[in-house]
Amino acid sequence: MPDLNAAKPGQNKPHSLVASTGVTRADTSSSFGGYRGFDTSNRFRYYQQLAKSTPHVSTSLIKLGLSLTKGMKFDGDSSRVVKDFENWSKRTNFQEQVQTLARLICRDGTYVASYQGKAETFQLIPLLMPAVSLLPEGLDPGSRSSKDILTPPVVSVVVNESSPAAKQIRMEPEDVVYGAFNAWDSVQKDVMGRDTFGIHGSSLLDPLELSIRNLLNINHGYVSFVQKYGNGRYVFNFKLLEQLIEKELISIDDAQAVIDEWMEEHKYIKQNEDIVGAGLDVVPIDANGTLDVMAFKKSLETDIQIGLFQTPLSMGDTKGSTYAAGYVSEADRMVVLEGLQKVTESVVQQAINKRLELLKKPEDSVWIEFDELSKPKLESRDVLEWYNSGVLTREQVLKWGGFPVEGE
């Protein structure tokens, strides 16, 4: 396997670029939204924590991994070798490894995995990205550069670079599977705080971080409000007593005694029981107040869904959606996902070629394929025309229309 993500053929040394100041996080606190211990210094560990903090992120990433690898199958020059790959995939649960690959490359932007086992037990073991460094030529482990931006080619993969040399694990590029999504999109920090360009990919969570934090804060704030004020509690305003105090007909102490006695008598009011009084205003405490909390919460959830290539429809929200609008939305989303699916295919092919090498078979003689995600919309007149011309059978037409077919 050649140097990882080489910038140009024949390029042996990384460019030395001057670092520029980018957008920085204003709020670096490690506690928000009812959680503590967010690691904002290591972005890969931060991605893991953000993904686990809300189902709008974790579920979307799981759905992405499953969608991108839908219908995984092998094809190749030799049917016998393809059959061997199919049996091996079942034994080692290789499809789940590929689903993990697709999910992690979306979450972290970068995927690095080591090979484990011989041909019959071959597996992909993802490396823990919070501890992984991808080093270009001329950079020794532990080196720091505050002025230069590190660029490809990568010639060394180091695990636990911040640890003493005895605890570091160094691997060559040919010993790992490597993939990056939008690596040239922006300057990325590595685990040692060095600026890199073209080495690490862009996480889908980067532009969503503020929305995720705000959503957690909104949820936690709403729960805190209910815990403080209760659900269905009231504000009792004794207006009659207020007027008597203003006219100095009774003292504040006398008024407080009346209020205490009234509250003691009515503190066990049950549901569907009326509150009756003279000179008394009863106002329910409204959690929304003058702000529409639910509308803001909904907008944050939508931001997260869009950023992770989901739609309200794909996340189970069908309210206000028509079939036509849902179809157009899903079709457009699938076209976008196919681009990311191709990235996944290319990374998986590295693992396929490594196993082919162990089997002493030619490189690329077996390849991975996934189902097409964007399906053309079929009009009924097209289907009928294909039926009349003999392209489709009667059973196929009935099955396309969702009608039961005899024998099924």
Side-chain angles (χ1 to χ4, degrees), residues 263-282:
M263 293 300 297
E264 180 66 25
E265 181 180 351
H266 295 84
K267 66 179 180 180
Y268 296 117
I269 293 177
K270 299 182 177 62
Q271 61 183 4
N272 299 324
E273 290 186 355
D274 295 328
I275 300 174
V276 181
L280 179 68
D281 281 346
V282 182

Side-chain angles (χ1 to χ4, degrees), residues 133-272:
S133 299
L134 304 174
L135 304 182
E137 184 179 1
L139 187 69
D140 297 325
S143 301
R144 293 182 179 272
S145 175
S146 59
K147 296 182 180 180
D148 298 336
I149 298 178
L150 306 180
T151 58
V154 171
V155 299
S156 180
V157 179
V158 180
V159 180
N160 299 326
E161 184 186 1
S162 60
S163 301
K167 294 185 178 180
Q168 295 177 2
I169 302 174
R170 301 190 64 172
M171 290 175 281
E172 300 298 320
E174 58 268 19
D175 297 329
V176 300
V177 170
Y178 164 85
F181 175 65
N182 281 349
W184 301 97
D185 191 53
S186 62
V187 174
Q188 304 286 332
K189 293 282 187 182
D190 68 4
V191 296
M192 299 294 288
R194 297 171 296 224
D195 288 327
T196 69
F197 185 55
I199 294 178
H200 291 92
S202 301
S203 168
L204 296 182
L205 299 186
D206 276 332
L208 300 176
E209 181 215 353
L210 185 58
S211 294
I212 296 172
R213 291 172 68 107
N214 286 339
L215 178 61
L216 294 177
N217 285 331
I218 285 291
N219 290 339
H220 181 64
Y222 191 89
V223 172
S224 298
F225 180 93
V226 174
Q227 289 176 338
K228 180 177 182 181
Y229 295 106
N231 188 15
R233 296 183 64 178
Y234 301 96
V235 175
F236 296 95
N237 183 13
F238 294 83
K239 297 185 66 176
L240 179 60
L241 293 179
E242 180 181 351
Q243 295 172 7
L244 293 176
I245 294 174
E246 290 177 353
K247 295 178 180 180
E248 298 183 353
L249 297 177
I250 61 173
S251 66
I252 294 179
D253 292 338
D254 292 337
Q256 186 63 52
V258 173
I259 293 174
D260 292 342
E261 181 181 352
W262 192 95
M263 293 300 297
E264 180 66 25
E265 181 180 351
H266 295 84
K267 66 179 180 180
Y268 296 117
I269 293 177
K270 299 182 177 62
Q271 61 183 4
N272 299 324

